[in-house]
Amino acid sequence: MDVLPLMLLLGSLFLCGRVEALSSAMDVLKQDALKWDMSLTCSKWDCDCPFNRQRGCCCAANEMYQVEDESFVRIKCLWEKIMSLNSRVNALSGGFKVSFKATMNQNIAIDIPGSTERCFGPFNTNVPIPYTNVALNSGNGYNPSLGIFTAPSPGVYMFSFTAFSSVGVDGRLYHKVQLMKNGKMGVSVWENNREDIEDSATQVVVMEMQRGDQVYVELMSGRKLCTIMEYNIFTGHIVYPYTE
C-alpha cells in the first residue's frame, strides 16, 4: 500500500524536472537570440522588431499596415465609382418617370333603343375610347379628355388594355377594340357571339416610342361595349428611356 504514493511522488518530481529543463532551454535560446549580431534571415518580415525590441511585437506589422492602406484606397475608389454610377442612373431616369392608368366612366354609356342595355357605341366610324377616370398619370403624358397618351421622351414603353362587355340573356357580344400608334393598329381584341352574356380580354404590348408619338385605344365602327364601363382599363409605362 505504501508503493503507490511513492510512485506518484516520483512521477511528480520527474514532471517538474522536465518543466524546469524546458524552461532553462528556452532561456538559453532567448539569450542566444539576443546576442545574435549577424544579419537576420527573416526575408521580408521585420525580424528586428521581435529580436531587439519589446516582447510581443508583430513581425508582420508593416505588411499589415500596407495591406490596410491599400484596402482603404480600393474601398474609397469603389465608393466613388458607385456614387458616379448612381448619379448617372438618376440623371438618366430621374426625368423620365412616366406611367398612367385610366378606366372608362360609367356615365359615358347610353341607353340602347329597344334594349335594356347601356352601352358605349355603336358608332358609324372608329372612335377613340375616352378613359376619363385617371388613377395614375406620372409625367402627365396621358390626356383623359382625348384618351391619348403622348410619349414625353424616346424609349421602350409597355401598354395594356382590357376590353369588357356584358349583355342580356338574349343579347349579343359584339365588339372589337384595338390599340393604335400614330393612327396605325398595333394589337386588338374582339368578340362576336350570342353564347356568352359577358366577356373580357386583355392585350399587352411592348413598343419603341419616339418623343411625340401617340398611342390610344379605339372602338371599331358598328361595335359596342356595354354595362360595366369601369372594367375597361388602359395602362402604360416607360420600361427604359433612350438617351438623346
Side-chain angles (χ1 to χ4, degrees):
M1 295 297 292
D2 295 335
V3 175
L4 183 58
L6 179 60
M7 292 180 64
L8 292 174
L9 178 59
L10 290 173
S12 299
L13 291 174
F14 175 75
L15 290 175
C16 291
R18 288 189 62 187
V19 171
E20 290 177 358
L22 181 60
S23 178
S24 298
M26 291 296 295
D27 289 338
V28 171
L29 289 174
K30 185 185 298 183
Q31 294 300 323
D32 288 343
L34 292 174
K35 294 177 181 178
W36 184 269
D37 58 359
M38 298 178 67
S39 61
L40 301 175
T41 58
C42 292
S43 186
K44 62 182 180 179
W45 302 112
D46 182 13
C47 287
D48 181 63
C49 171
F51 273 93
N52 299 325
R53 300 182 187 179
Q54 69 270 25
R55 294 176 59 188
C57 181
C58 179
C59 288
N62 290 339
E63 290 280 326
M64 292 178 65
Y65 293 150
Q66 182 179 355
V67 171
E68 185 179 72
D69 291 341
E70 291 176 354
S71 299
F72 176 77
V73 171
R74 291 178 181 177
I75 292 173
K76 182 180 178 182
C77 181
L78 179 61
W79 176 254
E80 290 175 350
K81 290 182 178 179
I82 291 174
M83 295 304 295
S84 176
L85 179 61
N86 185 59
S87 298
R88 291 172 60 190
V89 170
N90 289 336
L92 183 63
S93 62
F96 302 108
K97 296 180 180 179
V98 181
S99 59
F100 72 94
K101 176 184 178 182
T103 60
M104 294 181 68
N105 191 309
Q106 185 63 36
N107 296 328
I108 201 171
I110 60 174
D111 294 328
I112 302 298
S115 169
T116 60
E117 299 170 358
R118 288 181 58 84
C119 303
F120 176 72
F123 304 100
N124 58 10
T125 186
N126 295 358
V127 175
I129 299 176
Y131 300 91
T132 55
N133 291 343
V134 179
L136 175 68
N137 195 11
S138 297
N140 296 316
Y142 177 71
N143 185 331
S145 300
L146 302 176
I148 297 175
F149 171 79
T150 303
S153 60
V156 174
Y157 289 74
M158 177 180 289
F159 299 96
S160 71
F161 68 92
T162 297
F164 172 88
S165 189
S166 176
V167 295
V169 175
D170 297 324
R172 175 189 180 189
L173 288 173
Y174 188 56
H175 62 262
K176 182 177 181 180
V177 177
Q178 53 193 23
L179 184 138
M180 310 291 291
K181 175 187 175 183
N182 297 332
K184 297 181 180 180
M185 188 190 76
V187 293
S188 65
V189 298
W190 61 275
E191 189 66 58
N192 182 13
N193 75 72
R194 295 182 181 274
E195 298 177 359
D196 301 325
I197 62 172
E198 68 175 35
D199 207 343
S200 68
T202 299
Q203 277 279 18
V204 179
V205 60
V206 176
M207 62 178 65
E208 290 184 317
M209 301 278 286
Q210 299 300 320
R211 183 190 298 273
D213 283 351
Q214 293 185 327
V215 170
Y216 58 93
V217 178
E218 70 176 13
L219 178 68
M220 292 285 291
S221 63
R223 311 301 175 96
K224 61 184 179 179
L225 296 171
C226 301
T227 310
I228 308 176
M229 297 294 102
E230 291 92 338
Y231 288 176
N232 290 272
I233 307 170
F234 183 29
T235 71
H237 68 274
I238 190 169
V239 178
Y240 60 86
Y242 291 153
T243 56
E244 297 182 291

